Amino acid sequence: FREDLHPFWLRYAGELWDAQMVPMLAARSENAARLASVAVDYQHPASQKAEEEGSSVWAAKRLDQLSLLMPLLAREFQHLCERKR
């Protein structure tokens, strides 16, 4: 995270996962940031993986996360496209 990108995060009033993703989309749309993949040598603890894998409770939680995030990202994307017209 570059400090000069902080206005994108300060302008957005999200409180959950959207507070990370929507400002990133906005920064990228203005060519202020670029997105890249970074390899991280990390594995979830085996106990966590065993608890979550195949669990309908955790699947529902992930679905809730996506159900919140996707409409907000779509709305921001449409807003950004309209601004560029």
Side-chain angles (χ1 to χ4, degrees), residues 1 7 16 18 20 22 24 37 42 56 61 73 77 79 81:
F1 183 81
L16 296 170
D18 59 312
Q20 298 172 36
V22 172
M24 189 180 309
S37 296
Y42 171 81
S56 62
K61 179 179 174 123
L73 285 171
F77 184 74
H79 172 74
C81 289

Side-chain angles (χ1 to χ4, degrees), residues 25-84:
L25 179 62
R28 178 62 193 110
S29 76
E30 293 184 24
N31 292 321
R34 72 179 180 93
L35 302 179
S37 296
V38 177
V40 177
D41 186 20
Y42 171 81
Q43 290 186 336
H44 287 307
S47 60
Q48 179 182 356
K49 186 174 178 181
E51 180 183 341
E52 293 183 19
E53 208 167 62
S55 165
S56 62
V57 171
W58 283 98
K61 179 179 174 123
R62 300 298 175 240
L63 184 56
D64 286 346
Q65 291 170 333
L66 289 172
S67 295
L68 168 90
L69 186 57
M70 295 312 292
L72 295 172
L73 285 171
R75 184 179 68 200
E76 179 69 11
F77 184 74
Q78 183 165 356
H79 172 74
L80 293 168
C81 289
E82 289 170 359
R83 281 185 33 205
K84 289 190 175 200

